[in-house]
Amino acid sequence: MRIGLIGTGRIGSFHAGVLARHPKVTSLAVTDMDPARAARTAARTGATAVASAEEVIGAGVDAVVITSATSAHADLIGRAARAGLPAFCEKPIALDLAGTLGALREVERAGSVLQLGFMRRFDAGYAAARTAVRGGALGRLHTVRAATSDPAPPPAAYLPLSGGLFRDCLVHDFDILRWVTGREVTEVYATGSDAGPAVFREAGDVGTAAALLTLDDGTLATATATRCNGAGYDVRMELAGERDQIAVGLDHRTPLTSTEPQGPPAPAKPWPGFLERFAPAYEAELDAFLGVVRGERENPCDGREALHALRIAEACELSRAERRPVRMTEIPEA
């Protein structure tokens, strides 16, 4: 298979390495707004660096992988769709509903394929949790607790472009909550704090956030996030039912220390970041995409899934701004 990759930043460079090693990929063309960065990625992976996204799309590739800056995602999705090319795109499609819906209309009009990069769906722990919940192992599910904690804030220049903590970070928790439970969110109540580094206040963002989510079967879920977790990168989900409870993301590298005398010790090597924690999941999602392109499997995460997660994030932002519960019916679907 001939694959084109657009964007060779941190995640794009990682994906380029995965694609270059994949036995089904016969050639890889990469491009970036920074030609030197694309050249470095090409040299490291054995790919071919090309001058532009247009050149990638017109190079006779079988599919494209979009890992560019978020602001370019919707446009590139549209270009790929109009060229009849299946596309994999890192989340989000766009930072607003209008941009997201516009790109989805392009894909639907073209009848093309769009897979979104919600990598947690391909993590072994989350997959096991989904099986347990949907198979009834927990009994009636009543409580879910999700947490995403980054070890340090991103670069200051990124924050104003990120869409904010709910859209950029917690959107992963919103997606995986739906995927694991099979339920829809009906109402949210969210808040955030800009205490801490001034960079959040300057960007109009928050460094810590919390949301209470009510699901359509009455299950209550909390989702919290912070950019300032000095212990390490911590992503977990706890699910409690009437029969049992389980945890995702609890292992010997979880940056969590017990204060109990007989509790486990602090991890010797806590997770430092998302690429290390979710490396197998990132590889699995690209392998799935190549299977979709070859017609061997169904799309595991199409663009409508990104829309659902974004709508929850939008509801949380509205709740935070107006300090009130927000029903999902207040957020447009189309």
Side-chain angles (χ1 to χ4, degrees):
M1 297 178 67
R2 300 160 297 174
I3 305 296
L5 182 140
I6 304 170
T8 57
R10 187 179 181 191
I11 190 63
S13 179
F14 180 89
H15 283 338
V18 171
L19 291 166
R21 295 191 301 270
H22 199 284
K24 297 293 186 180
V25 175
T26 56
S27 68
L28 178 65
V30 302
T31 191
D32 193 273
M33 292 292 291
D34 180 350
R37 189 163 66 178
R40 288 192 297 270
T41 297
R44 180 179 59 81
T45 62
T48 300
V50 299
S52 66
E54 290 82 3
E55 191 170 337
V56 167
I57 291 171
V61 296
D62 298 303
V64 296
V65 173
I66 300 169
T67 52
S68 62
T70 295
S71 58
H73 285 184
D75 176 62
L76 291 170
I77 288 168
R79 290 196 217 177
R82 291 190 294 274
L85 290 174
F88 172 93
C89 184
E90 278 298 329
K91 68 84 190 167
I93 294 175
L95 291 177
D96 59 11
L97 288 171
T100 299
L101 290 166
L104 290 176
R105 283 192 290 269
E106 292 261 28
V107 172
E108 290 167 1
R109 276 196 295 265
S112 60
V113 170
L114 172 63
Q115 180 181 324
L116 260 291
F118 281 115
M119 78 291 187
R120 295 187 195 181
R121 294 181 176 218
F122 298 88
D123 176 74
Y126 282 109
R130 185 178 196 258
T131 298
V133 170
R134 298 194 180 204
L138 306 187
R140 184 185 68 84
L141 187 68
H142 53 72
T143 308
V144 182
R145 294 176 287 271
T148 294
S149 302
D150 288 334
Y158 172 76
L159 286 175
L161 308 175
S162 70
L165 194 58
F166 289 104
R167 298 185 188 94
D168 180 53
C169 185
L170 275 165
V171 71
H172 279 291
D173 297 274
F174 302 150
D175 175 72
I176 205 65
L177 175 65
R178 296 181 60 252
W179 188 77
V180 168
T181 66
R183 314 305 307 193
E184 297 295 342
V185 174
T186 59
E187 184 178 86
V188 311
Y189 184 73
T191 188
S193 170
D194 62 5
V199 65
F200 298 111
R201 292 185 292 280
E202 293 165 357
D205 195 8
V206 294
T208 302
L212 172 62
L213 314 165
T214 302
L215 307 189
D216 58 12
D217 64 347
T219 299
L220 298 181
T222 59
T224 63
T226 184
R227 301 282 199 186
C228 303
N229 191 57
Y233 181 73
D234 187 7
V235 171
R236 281 178 286 129
M237 174 180 272
E238 299 172 1
L239 301 109
E242 292 182 339
R243 186 180 302 162
D244 200 359
Q245 61 180 344
I246 56 177
V248 180
L250 187 60
D251 61 19
H252 69 288
R253 298 190 68 180
T254 303
L256 185 69
T257 302
S258 173
T259 61
E260 298 297 329
Q262 303 303 318
K269 190 179 180 182
W271 294 111
F274 64 91
L275 281 180
E276 295 82 3
R277 166 67 176 84
F278 288 110
Y282 280 118
E283 295 201 25
E285 70 177 357
L286 285 179
D287 181 70
F289 174 62
L290 297 177
V292 171
V293 174
R294 296 195 302 272
E296 297 172 356
R297 63 171 295 173
E298 294 295 316
N299 190 341
C301 189
D302 68 24
R304 286 283 161 184
E305 299 300 291
L307 176 61
H308 291 312
L310 177 61
R311 289 182 65 245
I312 300 169
E314 292 286 337
C316 287
E317 283 288 9
L318 180 59
S319 176
R320 180 176 76 91
E322 299 188 358
R323 296 180 178 272
R324 65 175 179 87
V326 172
R327 300 284 299 178
M328 289 304 302
T329 51
E330 298 180 53
I331 309 300
E333 291 189 66

